[in-house]
Amino acid sequence: MCHTVVVSDIVDHRLRRFWTSEGGDAAHLPAKAVRWLAERIGNLGGAAAVGPDSAVVVPDSAIRADARADLASVVGADFVLTDPLERLGRTGGLSYLDLVRRRSIGGRTPGELAIPDAVVVPADPGQVQRVLEVCVSHDVAVVPFGGGTSVVGGVTALRGDKHAVIALDLARLDELVSVDPVSRIAVLGAGVRGPDAERLLAAHGLTLGHVPQSFERATIGGFAATRSAGQASSGYGRFEDMVSGVRVATPRGDWRLGVAPASAAGPDLRQLAVGSEGTLGVITEVALRVRPVPAVRRFEGFVLDGWERGSSAMRRLAQSGALADVTRLSDVDETEVSLALNAGWKTLLLRRYLAARGVRTPCLLVLGWEGASKREIASRRKKTVALLREFGAVGLGSSPGEAWERGRFSGPRQRDALLDAGVCVETLETAAHWSKLDRLRDEVRSALRGALGTPIVMCHISHAYETGASLYFTVLAARDDADPIGQWERAKRAACEAITGGPLGTISHHHAVGVDHARYLRAEIGDLGVDVLRAAKSAVDPTGILNPGKLLPAEDS
């Protein structure tokens, strides 16, 4: 038996994330921008074929009555949810393919969506532990669910060889558990979302400083499980750098790691839990290094002439210890799109201003500093700007930096507008050592263009290190409405093969492995590395209930 859910019911429901990236309205895309895109990438299709009366067919929950009763005995009957809307609300993440599948599902078979059989919402780490024990006894798969922002299939409700699968929603693990102001360590529940973490810490004069683009919805547990990187990682570090300890629920029992700031007591098992993507346990609490709330913030923009000069400047800043907390370099294509989609008299004046200073291929560099005083920021900025001048950087003042800061979370809403206009729009990211970085960018761009025809392929560096940097690509192509899923799958495969050929770079700098990258993991860590991960999973999850199909290559999961 199946249930039919009308799309308009989904849109009106509180779990609107099923339909859009942000659970709200798409950003406005001006008609001029649509025309410009059509001129660049070709004829655009219409919006995905879902009208207000389109229906989603949701199969009956496969969770057996005895398993449901045992789960209810742990968390309460009100927190074992099998209503179709609740289940749809935890169906998949927020990748382009996730959205296309959900937007184009009228009349399709239920098998094309991996819908969980139930949503279980525990209240504390103890309940999470007992839920896992129940699921082991009934052989039910468990997919940990935080903000649902995965773009690599990390929260897809795959059953593996189990008869049913639950989405384990950690939203109620939303407390600031403890604060140690002397050591500057705070323990947060895994379900705390980014803005709430900052609000809770601010009451103690502290900040985490971890602000990825998913900040508005993603959770502390999700940040840890995926080795997230924030937009200010040059100043605050990546998320794994912030982790002092973790508490993890596993089918074998509660696992606590981290008793000191550093240790030589064997390999650091915290780093086995961090990045495990729910396959080795469910992260329930994270102890994190925190810092005082900055008193001053300053953002501004510069332009460098050409990618090669820009990336060389980034390398010099990184290797000289002169990176700003936010350091983000857009290539020529990304800069052009930004200017074109915000066309106006100010943009025309800017182009003339840059041309007069010899800048023919502008690459926008956004810098942001945070500190305790204007004097501190001025001191750091002085060194950075002095180095940039050696590369001919043209200062644009505070407006570009402040505009970036205001719009730093708008990408998902803009993506919804582009989807409505008939655009295939997706991102992918990698990282490489400086000596390979430009070649890697060229290879990925060539692979994407070969697969998609006449796309716009944009790239930026947003995380730089002494030894290398990340590359973040955004792709805009005319959507093939006859086969939108196959269109992107072919392009993503070509890009991933370019990355792993050699290999030139990592298959993921901060989006994680999930389902999408699992087939490429062996090329990066080798057969022995896969065996080590498989052994770790066997030790903590001998029956294989935890997040089937993720992280490990398919034959090993």
Side-chain angles (χ1 to χ4, degrees):
M1 180 177 176
C2 296
H3 302 273
T4 299
V5 178
V6 178
V7 168
S8 58
D9 292 337
I10 297 172
V11 174
D12 292 337
H13 192 260
R14 67 181 180 87
L15 298 173
R16 192 172 176 175
R17 69 168 298 279
F18 181 81
W19 172 247
T20 67
S21 297
E22 286 297 309
D25 296 327
H28 175 64
L29 195 63
K32 287 183 179 180
V34 175
R35 288 195 297 270
W36 183 85
L37 280 171
E39 290 172 0
R40 284 291 308 270
I41 65 179
N43 186 46
L44 301 180
V50 175
D53 296 323
S54 297
V56 183
V57 179
V58 182
D60 265 354
S61 170
I63 197 89
R64 293 195 292 255
D66 56 346
R68 182 174 178 176
D70 286 350
L71 289 168
S73 71
V74 174
V75 301
D78 290 342
F79 296 103
V80 179
L81 312 172
T82 56
D83 177 84
L85 284 174
E86 299 288 359
R87 293 162 57 202
L88 284 171
R90 281 80 164 185
T91 295
L94 292 178
S95 71
Y96 169 73
L97 294 185
D98 286 327
L99 293 175
V100 165
R101 288 187 179 104
R102 298 200 290 250
R103 284 167 164 251
S104 307
I105 49 184
R108 295 192 178 191
T109 61
E112 294 189 51
L113 284 173
I115 302 172
D117 295 296
V119 178
V120 179
V121 193
D124 55 51
Q127 287 192 3
V128 174
Q129 182 63 51
R130 294 195 295 278
V131 165
L132 295 188
E133 293 165 1
V134 169
C135 289
V136 168
S137 67
H138 290 280
D139 205 31
V140 172
V142 178
V143 177
F145 194 95
T149 60
S150 173
V151 293
V152 293
V155 294
T156 302
L158 301 180
R159 287 177 173 77
D161 61 356
K162 310 306 177 188
H163 75 274
V165 56
I166 66 165
L168 187 63
D169 191 327
L170 301 172
R172 296 171 71 198
L173 277 67
D174 59 354
E175 295 181 346
L176 174 59
V177 178
S178 65
V179 177
D180 177 352
V182 175
S183 306
R184 289 188 181 172
I185 294 174
V187 179
L188 288 157
V192 177
R193 295 181 183 243
D196 294 327
E198 291 300 326
R199 175 182 55 80
L200 291 167
L201 291 170
H204 298 269
L206 300 169
T207 181
L208 182 58
H210 186 70
V211 187
Q213 191 177 64
S214 61
F215 172 76
E216 294 173 309
R217 292 184 48 180
T219 62
I220 293 296
F223 294 151
T226 59
R227 299 179 76 89
S228 174
Q231 294 167 339
S233 65
S234 295
Y236 288 91
R238 291 168 56 92
F239 196 79
E240 67 262 30
D241 301 325
M242 304 175 182
V243 175
S244 173
V246 288
R247 181 178 181 182
V248 186
T250 82
R252 293 281 305 278
D254 195 44
W255 194 16
R256 298 175 187 245
L257 295 164
V259 298
S263 171
D268 187 353
L269 294 181
R270 289 175 299 184
Q271 295 303 324
L272 184 62
V274 175
S276 60
E277 301 184 37
T279 63
L280 302 181
V282 180
I283 295 171
T284 56
E285 293 178 353
V286 187
L288 293 158
R289 179 260 294 147
V290 291
R291 293 178 177 172
V293 174
V296 182
R297 291 184 171 90
R298 175 170 180 159
F299 290 87
E300 57 187 294
F302 294 82
V303 165
L304 292 111
D305 192 14
W307 172 262
E308 291 77 12
R309 183 175 294 184
S311 62
S312 294
M314 288 282 281
R315 176 171 62 85
R316 181 73 177 278
L317 292 176
Q319 294 179 343
S320 301
L323 289 168
D325 299 314
V326 173
T327 306
R328 178 189 178 101
L329 174 72
S330 294
D331 71 358
V332 174
D333 292 292
E334 187 167 279
T335 302
E336 180 188 3
V337 170
S338 177
L339 293 175
L341 297 185
N342 296 281
W345 65 270
K346 289 184 178 180
T347 297
L348 180 61
L349 290 177
L350 175 59
R351 291 182 187 277
R352 291 175 177 173
Y353 174 78
L354 294 174
R357 281 153 182 78
V359 177
R360 306 300 176 189
T361 52
C363 291
L364 177 64
L365 174 64
V366 171
L367 300 178
W369 293 269
E370 300 184 0
S373 67
K374 290 182 179 180
R375 178 177 294 181
E376 175 192 332
I377 287 178
S379 175
R380 293 179 59 201
R381 179 183 178 278
K382 182 178 180 180
K383 182 178 181 181
T384 301
V385 173
L387 288 173
L388 287 176
R389 285 181 181 143
E390 296 180 18
F391 293 86
V394 177
L396 301 180
S398 61
S399 294
E402 291 171 356
W404 173 83
E405 184 192 19
R406 287 193 301 272
R408 66 200 304 191
F409 308 127
S410 63
R413 286 179 282 275
Q414 292 172 344
R415 181 173 63 166
D416 289 330
L418 290 164
L419 281 166
D420 289 343
V423 179
C424 166
V425 50
E426 185 56 301
T427 64
L428 62 95
E429 44 76 44
T430 180
H433 294 127
W434 288 114
S435 59
K436 297 180 180 179
L437 196 73
D438 289 347
R439 180 186 167 197
L440 176 58
R441 174 176 171 268
D442 291 344
E443 293 281 353
V444 173
R445 281 158 51 92
S446 177
L448 289 168
R449 287 170 173 166
L452 292 170
T454 58
I456 298 172
V457 181
M458 299 171 276
C459 182
H460 68 252
I461 295 173
S462 53
H463 308 276
Y465 310 93
E466 185 176 357
T467 56
S470 67
L471 293 174
Y472 191 99
F473 297 88
T474 302
V475 184
L476 303 177
R479 188 175 63 233
D480 177 2
D481 281 337
D483 185 20
I485 292 174
Q487 177 190 26
W488 178 249
E489 286 180 336
R490 290 186 291 272
K492 179 67 180 287
R493 187 179 308 117
C496 289
E497 289 172 357
I499 291 168
T500 55
L504 287 174
T506 177
I507 198 59
S508 178
H509 173 263
H510 59 268
H511 281 171
V513 175
V515 174
D516 295 1
H517 296 149
R519 73 180 71 177
Y520 305 103
L521 186 62
R522 188 183 297 275
E524 184 161 333
I525 68 174
D527 291 342
L528 184 56
V530 171
D531 287 346
V532 169
L533 285 178
R534 184 172 55 196
K537 183 167 179 64
S538 178
V540 297
D541 182 26
T543 65
I545 66 165
L546 291 173
N547 218 5
K550 319 300 166 46
L551 185 61
L552 287 166
E555 66 269 24
D556 300 310
S557 60

